[in-house]
Amino acid sequence: MKRTLGLDVGTRTIGVAASDLLGMIAGGVETIHRTTEEKDFARIGELIAEQEADTIVVGYPKNMNGTIGERAQVSEAFADELRRRFEGVKVVLWDERLSTVAAQNVLIDADMSRKKRKKIIDMMAAVVILQNYLDSRR
């Protein structure tokens, strides 16, 4: 069985999550601090290999009214580049509205300090995105 990766793509960071082998539970992997496009995609390639992933779920930040804005267009372009670079890996865009808010609430409920939350919020948003995707498949 293969894993599924979840990505929360931002301008400065990319939050990464991975499913378990059964495709039921998402867990945080890391936050990639973006430097260059080549290094960013190289790290994603390493994670695909390490996690033995065959699917990548990319957060798709639609506007609250369901329309496609600038950030969603950036995610579309990112997903297209993933498809180009990693043939054989399925790439899915997944509506991520309010995923960061949900992640923030989980971390606040866990009584995590603001400083620590800031370091892992993007990874936790990727977990929320991936978990929502995995739940929809059941």
Side-chain angles (χ1 to χ4, degrees):
M1 296 188 82
K2 298 283 188 169
R3 295 180 197 272
T4 300
L5 292 182
L7 302 180
D8 179 45
V9 180
T11 54
R12 292 182 287 182
T13 61
I14 301 170
V16 183
S19 71
D20 63 346
L21 287 172
L22 296 176
M24 296 180 73
I25 300 171
V29 175
E30 69 177 67
T31 299
I32 299 170
H33 295 278
R34 299 189 75 172
T35 53
T36 67
E37 187 174 284
E38 285 306 313
K39 288 181 181 177
D40 297 345
F41 283 103
R43 181 63 189 140
I44 292 169
E46 291 169 358
L47 290 168
I48 290 168
E50 288 171 15
Q51 297 291 331
E52 297 179 354
D54 64 355
T55 304
I56 300 175
V57 177
V58 178
Y60 194 41
K62 293 180 180 179
N63 294 324
M64 290 308 290
N65 65 3
T67 60
I68 307 303
E70 184 179 330
R71 289 298 314 148
Q73 291 172 347
V74 169
S75 290
E76 289 172 351
F78 193 88
D80 288 343
E81 188 64 18
L82 286 169
R83 288 183 190 102
R84 189 183 73 73
R85 289 177 184 251
F86 306 110
E87 291 180 22
V89 175
K90 178 180 174 184
V91 178
V92 177
L93 287 166
W94 189 258
D95 187 351
E96 70 161 75
R97 284 178 277 188
L98 301 179
S99 63
T100 301
V101 173
Q104 189 82 6
N105 289 338
V106 167
L107 297 176
I108 288 170
D109 289 346
D111 203 27
M112 186 172 285
S113 72
R114 182 172 297 192
K115 186 176 180 179
K116 287 181 182 177
R117 285 195 313 259
K118 188 174 179 176
K119 290 181 181 179
I120 65 166
I121 189 65
D122 298 309
M123 180 181 65
M124 289 302 298
V127 169
V128 170
I129 292 164
L130 180 55
Q131 190 64 58
N132 287 339
Y133 171 79
L134 295 173
D135 290 347
S136 77
R137 296 180 61 216
R138 283 193 240 152

